[in-house]
């Protein structure tokens, strides 16, 4: 099992709930210093957490928010681009360009803006992990803008890896985790067009869908192992040794 040898400086987006909150709690437990950006703070205080409120869809204000959060910080050991939105499960043909663009804004373009701001001013960034999804590669019916945004996020990491060899980049699918996003999927009515929705409903309450606090230690350990793999690649925790 991996053990942290020293406290690290970890940056995370979206820590108000779900995977981001679980990761922030686990980092705090390990003694790390956490810098978090998101619309809302964690529901309870965490030690060594610095939080800056920022709607990631506001690409005009995002760089200044990140600069305030990381003022004077010259090294980030791990940056986790976690915040994301699902949109609705529907056929692509039923989705307006406006709603697809809104998903892209948070799941893709905000992550470009965050990465640029993180890497600015000569700051050393050891590792960037973008939280992707199996939907990035599955082409499962119904995942429309979400799947497009995560596929593009995978390529975003690959492109930065080619440009910035001093930083290690990965796109990383965390597997199923029981969060508000899964609550949204569970609340959907039956629809034979979207069989993956049924599969997710069936996984709820089983070991295949841990809660965020249970998932976080495994996710952080897997992120550490990503650094032994090629920068820019996509990995799914479900197929990592
Ligand atoms: N849960 C799963 O099974 C699963 C599987 C594969 C991938 N993922 C990915 O894991 C990541 C986390 O999702 P989750 O399942 O933990 O869902 P979640 O509980 O809904 O968490 C999403 C987080 O993103 C933040 N966020 C959303 N829009 C934002 C915005 N405009 N500005 C700032 N923050 C924003 C939310 O904060 P506020 O709403 O407070 O702003 C929240 O903290 C996502 O990228 C998701 O695609 C999840």
């Amino acid at each position: 099992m991996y053990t942290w040898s020293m406290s690290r400086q970890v940056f995370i987006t979206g820590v108000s709930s779900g995977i981001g909150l679980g990761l922030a709690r686990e980092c705090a437990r390990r003694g790390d210093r956490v810098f978090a950006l998101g619309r809302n703070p964690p529901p309870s205080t965490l030690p060594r957490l610095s939080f800056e409120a920022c709607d990631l869809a506001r690409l005009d204000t995002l760089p200044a928010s990140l600069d305030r959060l990381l003022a004077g910080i010259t090294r980030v050991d791990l940056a986790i681009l976690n915040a994301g939105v699902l949109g609705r499960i529907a056929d692509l043909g039923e989705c307006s360009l406006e709603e697809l663009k809104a998903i892209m804004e948070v799941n893709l373009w905000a992550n470009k803006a965050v990465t640029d701001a993180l890497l600015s001013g000569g700051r050393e960034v050891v590792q960037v992990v973008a939280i992707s999804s199996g939907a990035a590669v599955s082409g499962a019916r119904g995942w429309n803008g979400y799947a497009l945004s995560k596929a593009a996020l995978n390529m975003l990491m690959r492109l930065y890896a080619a440009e910035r060899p001093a930083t290690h980049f990965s796109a990383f699918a965390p597997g199923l985790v029981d969060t508000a996003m899964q609550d949204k999927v569970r609340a959907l009515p039956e629809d034979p067009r979207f069989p993956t929705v049924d599969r997710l409903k069936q996984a709820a309450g089983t070991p295949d869908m841990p809660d965020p606090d249970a998932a976080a230690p495994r996710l952080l350990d897997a992120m550490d192992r990503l650094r032994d793999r090629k920068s820019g690649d996509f990995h799914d925790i479900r197929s990592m040794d």
Side-chain angles (χ1 to χ4, degrees), residues 36-41 51-56 61 65-66 68-69:
L37 201 59
R39 274 187 305 206
N40 297 294
F51 175 80
E52 180 75 26
C54 171
D55 180 346
L56 294 171
T61 58
S65 301
L66 192 139
R68 271 194 302 279
L69 177 68

Side-chain angles (χ1 to χ4, degrees), residues 54-82:
C54 171
D55 180 346
L56 294 171
R58 290 283 314 275
L59 299 180
D60 51 340
T61 58
L62 196 165
S65 301
L66 192 139
D67 284 351
R68 271 194 302 279
L69 177 68
L70 294 181
I73 301 299
T74 56
R75 176 186 167 104
V76 171
D77 297 286
L78 173 63
I80 306 173
L81 313 181
N82 164 75

